[in-house]
Amino acid sequence: MKIRYAVILSVVLLPVSACAQKVNDAADVRAIKKSMDDFPKAVNAADANGVIALMTDKAIFADLSAPVAVGKDAIRSHFQSFFDHFKADLSTSVEDVRVTGDLAVARGTFTNKVTPKRKELHR
């Protein structure tokens, strides 16, 4: 009787385990780290299309100093507006990446020095 339940349980759990999400797959972790290296390169080059190339069609960009940008066109517009007015010197250092299925979180530090491209006249 116990063997019968074990076989039934194995048959039921086998398809579920085959559908399990990948966790911390080495290729996924490398891809996330590469994108975190490529992002400051695109920002420092003032390349809005380079920034967009790192994002999916469902991307959402939230910046504390601007409205949330939803989708590539809105994100491109946000970055292009920024690049029109400022020069950035951004660097990142990724300390840890965690991946589960199609969700990834990168933890680390970044520094950003922003310089206005022209001085505004103050009265």
Side-chain angles (χ1 to χ4, degrees), residues 15-26:
V16 174
S17 66
C19 297
Q21 294 181 343
K22 295 187 300 182
V23 176
N24 295 331
D25 179 70

Side-chain angles (χ1 to χ4, degrees), residues 40-48 83 88:
K41 291 175 186 173
V43 169
N44 294 340
D47 181 6
F83 296 148

Side-chain angles (χ1 to χ4, degrees), residues 6-20:
V7 170
I8 292 171
L9 185 59
S10 297
V11 171
V12 170
L13 291 179
L14 186 60
V16 174
S17 66
C19 297

Side-chain angles (χ1 to χ4, degrees), residues 70-92:
V70 179
K72 285 186 170 184
D73 289 338
I75 297 168
R76 181 184 294 108
S77 177
H78 167 82
F79 275 95
Q80 191 58 58
S81 177
F82 175 82
F83 296 148
D84 289 346
H85 296 95
F86 300 98
K87 178 181 180 347
D89 182 11
L90 175 66
S91 65
T92 61

